[in-house]
């Protein structure tokens, strides 16, 4: 019998890393932010991060970012809704996001 929690690599779960001033400061604390697909869960994200970057994940927090209303001139629109994953790694591991 196959269990539901089989660990498969799904590389399309991770869209891209979120690079802001706040997330750049958090990299010093070994915490990284990624935009992920909306239907992914914590176990899928953890498995994908560990296999893609060859690291050990300590903790994962996820949150759904809601729509924001933007006004450009006389036009109003909404930004897209997305899911953000904040990943805390063990002390000895690092993810190299920037080239030296």
């Amino acid at each position: 019998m196959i269990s539901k929690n089989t660990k498969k690599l799904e590389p399309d779960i991770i869209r891209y890393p979120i690079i802001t001033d706040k997330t750049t400061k958090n990299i010093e604390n070994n915490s990284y932010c990624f935009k992920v697909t909306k239907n992914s869960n914590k176990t899928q994200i953890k498995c994908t991060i560990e296999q893609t970057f060859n690291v050990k994940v300590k903790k994962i927090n996820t949150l759904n970012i809601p729509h924001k209303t933007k006004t450009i001139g006389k036009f109003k629109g909404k930004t897209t809704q997305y899911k953000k994953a904040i990943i805390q790694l063990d002390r000895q591991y690092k993810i190299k996001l920037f080239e030296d």
Side-chain angles (χ1 to χ4, degrees):
M1 186 169 5
I2 299 173
S3 68
K4 292 181 180 180
N5 294 331
T6 57
K7 294 185 177 184
K8 292 183 180 179
L9 177 63
E10 296 183 35
D12 55 342
I13 286 179
I14 302 170
R15 298 294 172 98
Y16 55 84
I18 299 172
I19 307 297
T20 61
D21 290 339
K22 187 175 180 180
T23 59
T24 307
K25 283 182 184 179
N26 286 338
I27 289 175
E28 296 172 4
N29 299 329
N30 228 6
S31 180
Y32 298 87
C33 292
F34 291 94
K35 180 178 177 181
V36 295
T37 56
K38 283 200 279 185
N39 57 355
S40 58
N41 59 26
K42 288 183 181 184
T43 56
Q44 291 173 337
I45 296 168
K46 179 179 180 179
C47 181
T48 304
I49 291 286
E50 287 180 345
Q51 291 179 2
T52 304
F53 297 107
N54 295 323
V55 294
K56 177 79 172 141
V57 175
K58 181 178 178 183
K59 182 172 130 179
I60 294 180
N61 293 334
T62 58
L63 55 143
N64 289 313
I65 306 297
H67 295 287
K68 290 183 181 176
T69 304
K70 295 283 184 173
T71 305
I72 299 174
K74 63 178 181 177
F75 301 104
K76 284 190 176 182
K78 290 184 178 179
T79 60
T80 57
Q81 182 180 8
Y82 64 95
K83 189 173 200 174
K84 180 165 91 171
I86 302 169
I87 296 154
Q88 181 77 35
L89 300 179
D90 278 345
R91 289 183 184 177
Q92 65 266 23
Y93 295 101
K94 296 263 186 224
I95 296 176
K96 190 173 182 181
L97 293 177
F98 306 109
E99 294 295 323
D100 290 335

